[in-house]
């Protein structure tokens, strides 16, 4: 910790809100930051601004991004992590920090200290000992490393403030954004499905071979690995641990706020009411048993890791510890891991290993793993006969889309030529034997039921006037032609009433858009060469 916090020896032992949340999450869900101390297998992680970025610096940046995600999502992180792209966030953090340093942005120790105290409950409730326990057991991070993460985050925040400092927004922009949120339209549309043309396509081998030769990279396989591993399981150790009455009572006293009885609406009580110990004893015992079983599993994993460090093989350690060696079989990073499912930490650890290399202890929700990379199969382009089914599938899909586009263009011409005040969209569709669908009212950025998320569809819907027909709109599944049925406009008096508050939101949106352009330009300037992929 910073010097003043390091010397703060006599602070009261108080559980602040974030401490309670973190410890409960850790006990029940086993969520803990991984020990990320090895970088990619290449000599350096990449190059930014013409300078090499070491594996160690990249790993630290990734760890900082992971810790931020852990604070934000808590036990929900496993569900969110695949959407976060932490690898790219780690590079962006490196590039933004370098830019902040280039602009001589500095953060004082006081600001770092104040931010940490704010994160961990505020000046009244901060407790040095619990802070360090949480960093060690939850974030898997030292105080010095965590403080550097906070300092760099504050630098980046200050850098972004300089980007946004001179941005203004006009009345016209505010009105346009307000319309996008509050005007609604209702449309009618027809769809042309490429899938409906699949059965009409019967390609020859000659056509398939020509397609394969022109598009070989489409059929390149992904790298695959085969991993052996042992598991030091939490659940299997539950029968080997015991919890005393004294430990249960101590837990109840320390985490009493977890057992607060919620008052019914409208009732008041001068003193908080808690569930009696007898009513929650079994619940506490279960928590403590799992906690102690996990600690025992970690002790066993440390012993196994030490034996491997001393020269034993994974097979020898498994036999000595009476453990089963499991094997995944070949799988790629995009596939579910056999018997495990999709797990980011397992993937990251496994793909970082060299063939024949054992991993350090890897924490998983059900215990601790030690991995060994048995086999690595590089990506390759298979011969035509070895991937003929995939070639045919891709060729047919391409041809189906082409046929659907041609048919949709014909329909669109029919609608445009025939639609009048007398003959409407629905009548023309009926004459073409097409089914008309109708949406409910939706705003500019809404997800449209039956269509999905399609900015082109929404933009066309708000651009059309009554009686007009759109161009052919390609969505993720179908081709669509639409016409406007109805539109609700904004209430101008309501807009004037909302304008002052809405302008703050509109400015924030504009700032985010300008920041994204600025960030893209900075990334281009950095000319990133990424060896971690």
């Amino acid at each position: 910790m910073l010097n003043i916090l390091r010397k703060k020896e006599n602070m009261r032992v108080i559980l602040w809100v974030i401490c309670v949340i973190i410890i409960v999450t850790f006990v029940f869900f086993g969520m803990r930051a991984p020990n990320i101390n090895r970088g990619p297998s290449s000599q350096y992680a990449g190059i930014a601004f013409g300078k090499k970025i070491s594996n160690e610096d990249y790993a630290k940046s990734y760890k900082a991004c992971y810790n931020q995600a852990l604070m934000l999502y808590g036990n929900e992180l496993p569900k969110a992590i695949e959407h976060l792209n932490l690898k790219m966030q780690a590079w962006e953090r490196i590039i933004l920090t370098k830019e902040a340093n280039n602009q001589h942005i500095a953060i004082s120790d006081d600001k770092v200290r104040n931010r940490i105290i704010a994160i961990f409950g505020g000046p009244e409730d901060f407790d040095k000992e619990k802070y360090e326990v949480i960093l060690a057991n939850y974030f898997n991070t030292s105080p010095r490393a965590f403080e550097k993460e906070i300092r760099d985050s504050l630098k980046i925040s200050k850098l972004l403030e300089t980007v946004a400092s001179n941005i203004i927004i006009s009345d016209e922009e505010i009105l346009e954004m307000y319309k996008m949120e509050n005007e609604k339209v209702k449309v009618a549309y027809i769809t042309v499905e490429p899938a409906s043309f699949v059965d009409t396509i019967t390609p020859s081998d000659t056509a398939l071979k020509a397609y394969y030769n022109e598009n070989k990279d489409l059929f390149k396989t992904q790298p695959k690995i085969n991993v052996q591993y042992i598991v030091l399981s939490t659940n299997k150790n539950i029968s080997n641990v015991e919890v005393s009455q004294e430990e249960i009572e101590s837990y109840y006293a320390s985490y009493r706020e977890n057992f607060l009885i919620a008052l019914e609406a409208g009732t008041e009580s001068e003193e908080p009411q808690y569930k009696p110990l007898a009513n929650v004893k079994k619940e506490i015992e279960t928590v403590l048993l799992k906690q102690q079983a996990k600690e025992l599993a970690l002790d066993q994993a440390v012993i196994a890791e030490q034996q491997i460090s001393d020269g034993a093989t994974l097979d020898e350690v498994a036999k000595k510890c009476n453990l089963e060696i499991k094997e995944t079989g070949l799988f790629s990073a995009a596939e579910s891991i056999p018997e495990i499912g999709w797990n980011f930490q397992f993937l990251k650890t496994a793909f970082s290993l060299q063939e024949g290399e054992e991993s350090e202890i890897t924490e998983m929700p059900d215990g601790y793993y030690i991995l060994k990379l048995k086999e690595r199969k590089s990506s390759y382009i298979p011969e035509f006969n070895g991937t003929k089914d995939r070639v045919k599938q891709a060729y047919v899909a391409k041809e189906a889309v082409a046929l659907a586009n041609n048919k949709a263009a014909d329909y669109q011409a029919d609608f445009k030529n025939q639609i009048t005040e007398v003959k409407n969209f629905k009548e023309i569709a009926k004459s073409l034997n097409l089914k008309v669908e109708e949406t409910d009212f939706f705003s500019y950025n809404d997800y449209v039921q039956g269509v999905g998320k399609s900015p082109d569809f929404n933009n066309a819907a708000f651009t059309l006037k009554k009686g007009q027909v759109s161009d052919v709109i390609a969505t993720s599944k179908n081709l669509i032609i639409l016409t406007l049925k109805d539109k609700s406009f904004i209430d101008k008096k309501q807009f004037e009433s909302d304008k002052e508050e809405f302008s703050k939101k509109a400015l924030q949106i504009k700032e985010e858009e300008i920041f994204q352009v600025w960030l893209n330009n900075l990334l281009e300037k950095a000319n990133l060469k990424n060896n971690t992929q």
Side-chain angles (χ1 to χ4, degrees):
M1 191 57 184
L2 298 170
N3 290 333
I4 294 177
L5 294 182
R6 288 195 185 98
K7 295 176 182 177
K8 205 165 185 179
E9 299 293 342
N10 300 314
M11 299 188 72
R12 292 178 297 143
V13 180
I14 298 172
L15 289 175
W16 55 84
V17 174
I18 193 167
C19 177
V20 171
I21 293 172
I22 286 172
I23 290 176
V24 170
T25 302
F26 173 70
V27 169
F28 284 103
F29 299 95
M31 274 304 302
R32 183 170 180 258
N35 184 18
I36 303 168
N37 58 9
R38 64 168 81 218
S41 57
S42 56
Q43 292 182 341
Y44 53 93
I47 298 174
F49 297 106
K51 294 185 178 179
K52 291 180 180 179
I53 307 299
S54 70
N55 292 331
E56 182 182 3
D57 285 345
Y58 174 79
K60 287 177 181 178
S61 182
Y62 183 93
K63 186 70 161 57
C65 294
Y66 189 99
N67 284 345
Q68 284 186 331
L70 199 54
M71 285 190 280
L72 181 61
Y73 292 99
N75 64 290
E76 296 295 317
L77 182 56
K79 298 177 184 176
I81 198 165
E82 62 184 287
H83 305 293
L84 297 179
N85 194 3
L86 291 182
K87 287 186 177 182
M88 191 58 212
Q89 285 193 38
W91 279 119
E92 289 176 355
R93 183 181 177 90
I94 287 170
I95 290 167
L96 288 167
T97 303
K98 283 187 175 295
E99 180 66 14
N101 291 335
N102 289 340
Q103 296 191 22
H104 307 292
I105 293 173
I107 303 297
S108 68
D109 285 356
D110 282 344
K111 286 188 177 179
V112 175
R113 181 168 47 252
N114 292 340
R115 176 58 62 91
I116 290 173
I117 289 173
I119 291 171
F120 289 88
E124 294 298 321
D125 292 338
F126 181 82
D127 182 272
K128 170 184 174 288
E129 183 179 351
K130 291 192 179 298
Y131 162 75
E132 292 181 349
V133 167
I134 289 171
L135 290 189
N137 294 322
Y138 187 68
F139 291 100
N140 209 354
T141 300
S142 70
R144 192 174 298 279
F146 186 74
E147 288 149 21
K148 185 177 187 310
E149 291 176 12
I150 296 299
R151 189 184 301 276
D152 286 345
S153 293
L154 290 172
K155 282 183 180 181
I156 292 170
S157 179
K158 196 170 181 180
L159 173 66
L160 302 187
E161 286 175 9
T162 64
V163 175
S165 60
N166 297 318
I167 298 173
I168 58 173
I169 190 165
S170 67
D171 287 347
E172 290 78 11
E173 289 174 303
I174 295 169
L175 176 60
E176 197 59 36
M177 289 187 187
Y178 189 84
K179 286 180 178 180
M180 289 174 70
E181 284 206 5
N182 293 279
E183 288 186 340
K184 294 181 181 293
V185 294
K186 186 176 186 179
V187 302
Y189 65 94
I190 62 98
T191 62
V192 180
E193 300 178 3
S196 65
F197 295 87
V198 167
D199 292 339
T200 68
I201 303 167
T202 53
S204 65
D205 278 1
T206 302
L208 292 179
K209 285 178 181 177
Y211 182 72
Y212 166 80
N213 288 327
E214 292 169 4
N215 301 277
K216 285 186 177 182
D217 283 345
L218 290 178
F219 309 106
K220 190 174 184 178
T221 64
Q222 290 189 329
K224 292 190 174 187
I225 57 174
N226 182 17
V227 178
Q228 292 180 319
Y229 61 96
I230 57 174
V231 183
L232 291 309
S233 168
T234 299
N235 288 339
K236 287 184 179 178
N237 274 304
I238 286 179
S239 60
N240 299 325
V241 295
E242 294 180 354
V243 175
S244 67
Q245 180 65 24
E246 183 181 356
E247 288 172 317
I248 292 173
E249 291 173 357
S250 175
Y251 184 95
Y252 180 76
S254 297
Y255 300 100
R256 201 176 176 199
E257 295 300 319
N258 292 353
F259 308 110
L260 186 67
I261 297 174
L263 297 175
E264 295 182 6
T267 61
E268 294 184 5
S269 175
E270 293 183 2
E271 294 293 330
Q273 301 296 312
Y274 301 93
K275 298 175 185 177
L277 175 59
N279 291 7
V280 295
K281 180 179 177 180
K282 193 66 181 174
E283 177 185 340
I284 294 173
E285 184 180 25
T286 300
V287 169
L288 291 176
L289 281 172
K290 287 184 178 179
Q291 187 175 5
Q292 291 187 19
K294 189 156 192 178
E295 289 171 356
L296 181 56
L298 179 57
D299 290 341
Q300 294 166 345
V302 169
I303 292 170
E305 184 181 49
Q306 185 58 51
Q307 291 173 352
I308 291 172
S309 296
D310 292 340
T313 65
L314 194 66
D315 285 337
E316 290 168 344
V317 170
K319 287 176 184 176
K320 193 170 183 178
C321 299
N322 196 27
L323 296 169
E324 176 190 2
I325 287 192
K326 297 187 176 183
E327 190 167 326
T328 62
L330 287 167
F331 68 95
S332 73
E335 294 175 325
S336 176
I337 305 163
E339 293 191 27
I340 293 174
W342 200 95
N343 183 281
F344 173 78
Q345 188 55 38
F346 190 101
L347 283 173
K348 180 172 179 61
T349 302
F351 274 89
S352 71
L353 296 173
Q354 299 297 320
E355 205 164 292
E357 182 185 8
E358 287 98 355
S359 74
E360 296 177 349
I361 295 169
T362 300
E363 185 174 4
M364 300 273 282
D366 59 338
Y368 297 91
Y369 287 48
I370 296 177
L371 286 57
K372 177 181 178 180
L373 183 60
K374 183 177 180 181
E375 179 186 2
R376 183 186 295 273
K377 193 171 184 180
S378 300
S379 61
Y380 68 98
I381 298 173
E383 294 297 323
F384 172 75
N385 288 333
T387 191
K388 184 177 176 180
D389 288 344
R390 284 182 64 203
V391 175
K392 182 178 180 180
Q393 187 179 29
Y395 178 89
V396 168
K398 177 185 74 76
E399 290 298 304
V401 169
L403 291 173
N405 270 308
N406 291 337
K407 180 59 72 174
D410 291 342
Y411 287 149
Q412 201 271 345
D414 288 333
F415 278 111
K416 216 160 191 175
N417 292 333
Q418 296 181 41
I419 198 162
T420 62
E421 291 183 4
V422 178
K423 195 172 185 181
N424 61 33
F425 187 86
K426 193 171 185 179
E427 291 170 335
I428 299 169
K430 186 177 180 180
S431 70
L432 297 171
N433 200 27
L434 295 171
K435 182 181 178 182
V436 175
E437 305 281 356
E438 291 186 6
T439 68
D440 293 327
F441 276 101
F442 62 92
S443 61
Y444 189 87
N445 292 312
D446 280 350
Y447 178 96
V448 181
Q449 193 68 35
V451 175
K453 190 70 175 175
S454 173
D456 289 340
F457 178 93
N458 289 33
N459 187 60
F462 278 85
T463 304
L464 290 171
K465 296 178 180 178
K466 280 192 176 182
Q468 292 181 332
V469 177
S470 74
D471 292 333
V472 177
I473 307 294
T475 69
S476 59
K477 293 181 180 179
N478 303 317
L479 302 168
I480 292 179
I481 301 167
L482 62 130
T483 190
L484 179 66
K485 283 207 71 179
D486 201 359
K487 185 171 186 175
S488 64
F489 296 90
I490 62 168
D491 183 322
K492 291 186 178 179
K493 288 185 179 179
Q494 187 63 47
F495 168 66
E496 292 300 329
S497 174
D498 296 343
K499 183 178 177 180
E500 182 177 354
E501 189 63 31
F502 183 81
S503 63
K504 298 174 186 176
K505 180 180 179 180
L507 179 60
Q508 184 179 359
I509 292 171
K510 184 175 180 180
E511 286 173 346
E512 289 172 358
E513 290 174 348
I514 289 175
F515 165 69
Q516 191 59 56
V517 172
W518 175 84
L519 178 59
N520 290 340
N521 290 337
L522 182 62
L523 293 174
E524 187 176 344
K525 177 183 171 185
N527 193 24
L528 175 64
K529 307 295 183 186
N530 183 1
N531 292 338
T532 68
Q533 293 176 332

